[in-house]
Amino acid sequence: MLAPRILKKLEEILGKERIIEDWEGRLTYSYDAQVEEAVPAAVVFPQSDEEIAQIMKLAYEEEFYVVPRGAGTGLSGGSVPLNNAIVMSFEKMNKILEINGEDLYAVAQPGVITLDFQNEVEKKGLFYPPDPASAKASTLGGNIAENAGGLRGFKYGVTRDYVLSLKAISPQGEQLKLGAKTIKSVSGYDLVGLFCGSEGTLGIVYESTLKLLPLPEAWSAMLLVFSTLDEAASAVSQIIAQGIVPSSLELMDNFTIKAVEDYKHLGLPRDAGAIVILEVDGYKESVEREMAKIEALLTKMKPKEVKKAKDQKERDDVWAGRRSALAALARISPTTLLEDVTVPRSRLSQMVHVIEDIAKRYNLRIGTFGHAGDGNLHPTFLTDWRNKDEWERVQMAIEELFTSAVELGGTLSGEHGIGLAKAPFLPREYNEATIEAMKSIKRALDPKGLLNPGKIFID
Ligand SMILES: Cc1cc2nc3c(=O)[nH]c(=O)nc-3n(C[C@H](O)[C@H](O)[C@H](O)COP(=O)(O)OP(=O)(O)OC[C@H]3O[C@@H](n4cnc5c(N)ncnc54)[C@H](O)[C@@H]3O)c2cc1C
């Protein structure tokens, strides 16, 4: 709970109706999609940058913690409010302010749902490529703070590649303008780059200008079934080696296929070793050429089965399984731990073997799916934290997983962030001097450490 004095001042800024104080209400904001850890002291719903600035000035004066929150779909505990923090939710800042077809950008508030944004710009023949599998629920603010990737990362990159400029409030309550609405800007340090992926620890984003592209005129989607995971990983390498750049290139292992089938009954082959789902997009002629190249490779890749989508309905069917992979796995056990290791694409096959080996040696259930084209895999541990023995094995297995990813030239997290869950492992990837450089940026921007405490680093 907050001190009555602070609560009164927050009420003066927002009015009682935009503050949650009761226990049940606060409980709803105590977890994200993976980490359940701490109940906030209060939840506040600002509607303008002035209100955010006033709240941060109050926080600075009274020294209480603030945790920004989008939709809470994060998978590393980023929006979990430690240290009796208040949660600042952007549910009421969810407007698209401008869609500019001439300069190819849109301006939006942080609480806009990603899919709504994609749909609105598409109505004007424009395209916003970042496409996290959580697009139906996640917000643009959360995507920026996590530098979210997604299903179209292989061809189109990640959220950072589409952020032209940001408006933010500093931890001291000051206005910050980062970047410019132009395609190019090298005026000073790249603070947009710094804020993307900063997990709400450096400032509060209240407006973003996002780059748009013309909507691709055509697409073609295909699902390939393989007998083994190895064959599937090798198919991914062969496609990339041909110089083909699919917009999406995704992988699901046998465990995940069965989980999806039990959940959605899509008719996926339960005996398949793995499935690769791919899509190419662009001009009609180039889509046809790229698909023809992929089809020419089929004799070498030797899939057991090939399904090519003929219309939008079949395209949706091809993607339905992949989009429901996490939900399908999460039904299996009380605790789901989804990891996010990423390796250079050429090491994908090795990483897949490491995961299989870890599952065997630690006797654990792991379903693996992910953005194969990005070398980004989501080995998902299905467990129960109350089973002490298994929980210990899971912890050891995760540690080994991270070590192996880094040894293969990879990274702990391709897109979900370090947050709370992976903070203890950051020293596996970076040396002390590098972590100290990051901490000194945090200290410079947030000297009292009030914004999203306990994330990214273990102090
Ligand atoms: C089923 C499922 C599928 C997913 N698929 C993908 C995927 O394909 N790719 C991917 O990258 N991620 C994926 N995720 C993870 C998650 O959806 C993303 O990290 C997403 O960007 C989080 O957005 P959110 O609005 O839910 O943010 P939250 O979880 O609420 O917050 C995430 C972080 O952003 C900070 N934050 C939020 N708003 C602001 C703001 N306005 N200013 C500053 N900081 C802010 C928070 O403090 C926190 O640190 C998936 C999650 C689920 C549950």
Side-chain angles (χ1 to χ4, degrees), residues 238-278:
Q238 288 179 56
I239 291 167
I240 296 171
Q242 281 292 307
I244 303 163
V245 186
S247 49
S248 304
L249 192 46
E250 299 284 313
L251 182 88
M252 269 168 35
D253 74 352
N254 171 266
F255 194 100
T256 311
I257 295 166
K258 286 197 285 209
V260 168
E261 220 15 54
D262 290 343
Y263 177 40
K264 289 277 173 183
H265 313 292
L266 298 168
L268 298 176
R270 300 179 66 88
D271 61 340
I275 281 176
V276 170
I277 306 167
L278 62 88

Side-chain angles (χ1 to χ4, degrees), residues 34-324:
Q34 178 127 304
V35 181
E36 189 181 334
E37 187 92 19
V39 179
V43 186
V44 296
F45 301 88
Q47 275 177 336
S48 68
D49 51 317
E50 291 88 12
E51 287 179 353
I52 299 172
Q54 283 181 55
I55 296 166
M56 287 318 299
K57 283 196 170 130
L58 180 64
Y60 200 70
E61 204 180 289
E62 296 279 359
E63 302 200 348
F64 60 84
Y65 299 98
V66 178
V67 177
R69 182 182 177 97
T73 67
L75 288 164
S76 57
S79 58
V80 173
L82 298 184
N83 297 9
N84 200 33
I86 67 162
V87 161
M88 184 182 284
S89 164
F90 298 100
E91 282 161 61
K92 295 190 188 302
M93 292 183 73
N94 60 356
K95 291 189 186 57
I96 299 174
L97 304 173
E98 182 188 356
I99 299 178
N100 188 322
E102 193 180 350
D103 287 325
L104 290 178
Y105 68 68
V107 183
Q109 291 185 320
V112 174
I113 302 292
T114 316
L115 184 66
D116 293 345
F117 184 74
Q118 290 169 344
N119 288 341
E120 283 308 307
V121 302
E122 284 185 22
K123 281 183 196 160
K124 296 190 186 278
L126 300 167
F127 182 42
Y128 178 67
D131 186 31
S134 53
K136 268 188 192 168
S138 70
T139 65
L140 294 176
N143 294 168
I144 292 164
E146 295 292 355
N147 193 10
L151 300 183
R152 299 194 278 239
F154 181 51
K155 177 171 178 180
Y156 291 105
V158 295
T159 302
R160 166 67 188 106
D161 300 314
Y162 296 86
V163 183
L164 295 174
S165 74
L166 295 173
K167 286 185 183 169
I169 300 295
S170 76
Q172 297 84 342
E174 301 299 332
Q175 286 279 351
L176 301 175
K177 175 199 175 270
L178 320 175
K181 284 184 176 171
T182 50
I183 273 297
K184 297 161 81 175
S185 168
V186 288
S187 302
Y189 291 136
D190 177 11
L191 295 184
V192 172
L194 182 62
F195 265 55
C196 290
S198 65
E199 305 189 28
T201 61
L202 301 180
I204 296 176
V205 172
Y206 70 83
E207 192 180 297
S208 57
T209 301
L210 303 170
K211 184 169 90 175
L212 304 174
L213 301 178
L215 192 62
E217 94 183 8
W219 55 264
S220 183
M222 190 184 257
L223 185 146
L224 305 172
V225 179
F226 291 94
S227 302
T228 67
L229 196 48
D230 248 350
E231 285 174 10
S234 147
V236 168
S237 304
Q238 288 179 56
I239 291 167
I240 296 171
Q242 281 292 307
I244 303 163
V245 186
S247 49
S248 304
L249 192 46
E250 299 284 313
L251 182 88
M252 269 168 35
D253 74 352
N254 171 266
F255 194 100
T256 311
I257 295 166
K258 286 197 285 209
V260 168
E261 220 15 54
D262 290 343
Y263 177 40
K264 289 277 173 183
H265 313 292
L266 298 168
L268 298 176
R270 300 179 66 88
D271 61 340
I275 281 176
V276 170
I277 306 167
L278 62 88
E279 183 161 316
V280 294
D281 69 2
Y283 289 112
K284 197 167 169 285
E285 298 73 18
S286 73
V287 166
E288 280 167 7
R289 272 189 67 189
E290 282 196 307
M291 227 5 150
K293 271 186 171 182
I294 293 171
E295 281 168 334
L297 272 180
L298 291 178
T299 44
K300 257 174 94 189
M301 298 194 298
K302 296 198 179 65
K304 275 167 58 142
E305 200 187 323
V306 178
K307 266 189 207 163
K308 193 171 167 190
K310 288 189 290 299
D311 52 31
Q312 184 62 42
K313 155 92 181 52
E314 287 191 10
R315 181 195 197 188
D316 292 343
D317 289 349
V318 160
W319 282 108
R322 169 60 187 89
R323 287 204 182 263
S324 61

